[in-house]
Amino acid sequence: MTDKHILVIFPHPDDEAFGVSGTILSHTDAGTPVTYICLTLGEMGRNMGRPVMANRESLPDIRLKELKEACSLLGIEDLRRFGMRDKTVEFTDRDALSERLSDVISEVNPTTIITFYPGYAVHPDHDATGAAVVDAVRKLPDENRPGIHAIAFADGSEEALGEPDVVRDVREYRERKLQVIEAHASQTAGLMEQVRSRMEEHDETIEYMLQTERFWTYPVED
């Protein structure tokens, strides 16, 4: 089925950069609208001092600016912010979050939702976000449910879930994907120094991560 609208739902700015940005670029370049719901501004991000004025108080403004720049690079024109606080999504009323997500799903009527695979996404906010998305989709009649393409990267994901059934070759977006990651400089500047160094060494693992994006279609059951 041809995608008519993509809905991306993640808890933190930069979640859209690493394992998804090539896929998002393939959709926006093709003219498919993409709506991105970012639940928080990553206020608890660990990397202070990049830039020098980054501290716990200034970080939300810095990360908002980075998020908007990343969306511009990705061609995302519809950014929704839910105003939640970093590292609290797991403690949020799951039904209430699901209801908010349902409102946007009903509005944009996506054919595919990209989010984290609950239970296999390492960070509690990631898992909680994915679980709320599944709840929201489960409320819909079968015939109206969008597909959920979920990212799993916890240790043992493939042993538990099997091989990902959606594997995208995004090598043509490699350089633009790097730009999106670099847009989140407050969190990725140090990492990118290592990535660039390994690229110069023709590191196969880094190249695979930059050129391939993998998803599991989540089996929504009543």
Side-chain angles (χ1 to χ4, degrees):
M1 179 175 68
T2 302
D3 277 306
K4 295 181 179 178
H5 199 126
I6 304 296
L7 178 58
V8 179
I9 305 175
F10 289 130
H12 311 117
D14 77 11
D15 285 337
E16 83 292 342
F18 294 99
V20 187
S21 53
T23 297
I24 293 174
L25 284 163
S26 73
H27 287 299
T28 54
D29 278 9
T32 305
V34 175
T35 295
Y36 177 19
I37 299 175
C38 189
L39 301 185
T40 82
L41 282 179
E43 299 90 344
M44 300 302 288
R46 296 177 180 175
N47 300 330
M48 299 293 104
R50 289 179 184 265
V52 175
M53 71 286 291
N55 54 47
R56 192 61 66 205
E57 288 70 35
S58 63
L59 192 58
D61 290 339
I62 292 169
R63 298 204 68 181
L64 175 57
K65 183 178 179 180
E66 293 172 346
L67 175 62
K68 290 180 176 178
E69 173 63 15
C71 286
S72 177
L73 291 168
L74 287 165
I76 295 175
E77 298 179 355
D78 185 13
L79 169 65
R80 313 286 181 98
R81 294 166 44 217
F82 269 23
M84 299 174 69
R85 185 149 182 97
D86 191 10
K87 292 191 175 179
T88 68
V89 178
E90 63 173 314
F91 306 113
T92 298
D93 184 299
R94 184 163 145 183
D95 290 339
L97 175 56
S98 175
E99 285 297 325
R100 292 187 69 186
L101 295 173
S102 290
D103 289 343
V104 180
I105 292 171
S106 297
E107 175 190 343
V108 305
N109 191 25
T111 43
T112 299
I113 297 177
I114 297 173
T115 189
F116 287 116
Y117 203 116
Y120 296 93
V122 178
H123 190 295
D125 281 358
H126 296 174
D127 289 331
T129 299
V133 171
V134 171
D135 286 350
V137 171
R138 186 178 288 122
K139 296 173 186 173
L140 297 169
D142 282 348
E143 62 273 20
N144 294 338
R145 289 175 180 170
I148 299 177
H149 289 181
I151 303 170
F153 55 99
D155 289 342
S157 292
E158 291 193 23
E159 289 79 0
L161 304 174
E163 295 287 326
D165 60 312
V166 179
V167 179
R168 290 183 172 273
D169 182 341
V170 296
R171 72 186 67 191
E172 68 179 285
Y173 305 104
R174 176 179 176 277
E175 292 306 317
R176 294 165 67 190
K177 181 173 180 174
L178 285 166
Q179 292 174 5
V180 174
I181 297 172
E182 288 174 330
H184 296 283
S186 70
Q187 305 302 301
T188 64
L191 171 66
M192 287 307 299
E193 291 173 4
Q194 300 176 35
V195 169
R196 292 287 186 188
S197 175
R198 292 176 65 177
M199 288 170 58
E200 291 176 0
E201 298 169 356
H202 305 290
D203 185 299
E204 292 182 358
T205 301
I206 289 294
E207 288 299 332
Y208 183 81
M209 292 174 63
L210 291 172
Q211 299 179 28
T212 309
E213 294 178 351
R214 312 182 324 152
F215 306 88
W216 282 259
T217 300
Y218 191 92
V220 179
E221 299 174 351
D222 293 320

